[in-house]
Amino acid sequence: MPEHTAPPRPSSPARHRRRLVAGCAALAASLALAACGTASGALQPQPSTTTAASPPAPSASSPVSPSGTPSPGTPSSGTPSSGSPSSAAPVPGTPSATLPPTGPTTPSAPSTPPAPKPTPPKPGTAGPSTPGPGKSTTATPRPPAPPAPSTGVPTSVVRSTASGGRTVALTFDDGPGPATGQVLDLLAQYHAKATFCLVGKQAAAGPATVRRIVAAGHRLCDHSVDHPQPFAALSHEQAVHQIVDAETAIVRAGGPGTAVGWFRAPGGAFTEDNQRIAADNGLRPLGWSVDPRDWSRPGTAAIVSAVQSQLKPGGVVLLHDGGGDRGQTVAALRQLLPWLAAQGYRFDFPAS
Ligand SMILES: [Zn+2]
């Protein structure tokens, strides 16, 4: 739900150079990786051997050009597998019921526990100024507690759909990219709605695609300005820049009325700090419960079977429409959409 329409914020005056993406981008280029590594920042070698076909990633030190379209494969999305093996229960009747779960893999970033609530003063323990035992009605200074986000958006990472029940939330990371149009075509064919986690620089480079996403009724998620990794290693100021300026770029690309409801940390590298920054800006941290690791191009059949085996009602599926050649993802989606419909799933958005 577009529960928040954060007021426009000025862009950060300081453009952080993308030093942190250097390692990921260079390695990604060398591996022809479109997507990023895991929450730990480690890139996963992919089975594909088509390394020569990978376009070079832009230099990490190159300035952000408003007209520069990042080459596909640059911003890579790290995808720590969220799925614990025990959570990958097959949907009854699925052809993949005999497939093993895809785990164990890197655990997802833990959710941030709820902000501590101030403890009300207890009688007799309120301090030396308390007039007497059992009387604490006078105002006792409370220790400063982290204020809840004024936006009312929870800081915890959501990994389930808004409606629950037999619903699924499809999410697409690292776009908009060359495959986004095909993904949109397929979603329209099956009357499916999805959530797109956009990279700010690419949104700025492809505003028409962003507008098409919005016009089709899909929803938007902030996936940082330029996908630096490891995202958890960013300073607070860098994280603010990555989150706030990406949202600004996405809204600008989408046009008036564009709302961004979530933030997904590159690589799933959520921290207490970046979750709070997101929530303070009206963005619910968005994780996932199903990770077929499509970014590593494991093969269409592997992507399909991973989703079929991991998905449970209310699940959030992580897929990629950007960050490199997404042909396998598109082909898998072409199979998964009718399968989901046949399984009785309704398409939903993540909880917000
Ligand atoms: Zn990503």
Side-chain angles (χ1 to χ4, degrees):
M1 322 302 96
E3 73 292 341
H4 56 274
T5 43
R9 289 176 297 280
S11 296
S12 168
R15 284 283 173 186
H16 298 281
R17 292 296 181 254
R18 293 166 291 151
R19 290 191 201 93
L20 286 164
V21 78
C24 178
L27 188 50
S30 70
L31 294 173
L33 272 187
C36 43
T38 64
S40 66
L43 286 161
Q44 303 295 320
Q46 63 180 63
S48 168
T49 57
T50 57
T51 53
S54 176
S59 164
S61 61
S62 61
V64 176
S65 166
S67 61
T69 304
S71 64
T74 302
S76 46
S77 172
T79 54
S81 173
S82 62
S84 63
S86 62
S87 68
V91 174
T94 69
S96 62
T98 58
L99 290 176
T102 57
T105 47
T106 307
S108 302
S111 298
T112 299
K117 295 176 181 175
T119 304
K122 296 177 182 177
T125 61
S129 64
T130 303
K135 299 290 285 183
S136 60
T137 53
T138 54
T140 302
R142 295 181 177 185
S150 58
T151 58
V153 174
T155 59
S156 58
V157 178
V158 63
R159 306 179 193 278
S160 57
T161 62
S163 303
R166 202 160 181 80
T167 60
V168 59
L170 300 178
T171 66
F172 294 91
D173 282 18
D174 297 358
T180 306
Q182 293 173 277
V183 169
L184 290 170
D185 289 345
L186 282 170
L187 294 174
Q189 185 178 338
Y190 289 92
H191 307 288
K193 301 303 181 205
T195 302
F196 288 80
C197 296
L198 304 182
V199 174
K201 268 183 57 182
Q202 292 175 216
T209 306
V210 180
R211 289 195 296 271
R212 185 182 167 197
I213 291 170
V214 173
H218 306 296
R219 296 197 181 164
L220 301 178
C221 167
D222 176 331
H223 199 39
S224 83
V225 169
D226 54 8
H227 212 286
Q229 288 187 280
F231 198 82
L234 266 58
S235 69
H236 176 79
E237 290 73 21
Q238 288 172 319
V240 168
H241 157 64
Q242 286 288 335
I243 296 170
V244 173
D245 290 356
E247 185 188 6
T248 300
I250 293 166
V251 169
R252 184 176 296 141
T258 300
V260 183
W262 297 269
F263 163 69
R264 176 172 281 165
F270 286 108
T271 64
E272 188 174 344
D273 182 54
N274 64 43
Q275 289 170 231
R276 174 157 290 275
I277 293 167
D280 282 343
N281 286 278
L283 307 170
R284 178 78 188 266
L286 175 57
W288 56 83
S289 63
V290 177
D291 180 9
R293 303 177 72 79
D294 64 315
W295 59 270
S296 68
R297 298 199 278 268
T300 299
I303 297 170
V304 171
S305 63
V307 172
Q308 291 176 336
S309 61
Q310 293 179 32
L311 180 63
K312 294 192 292 188
V316 176
V317 180
L318 171 63
L319 294 166
H320 294 76
D321 64 320
D325 183 352
R326 298 277 77 94
Q328 292 183 7
T329 301
V330 171
L333 190 63
R334 192 172 286 116
Q335 297 179 41
L336 285 169
L337 287 169
W339 178 82
L340 288 166
Q343 295 293 315
Y345 275 95
R346 290 178 294 107
F347 297 98
D348 197 6
F349 298 108
S352 56

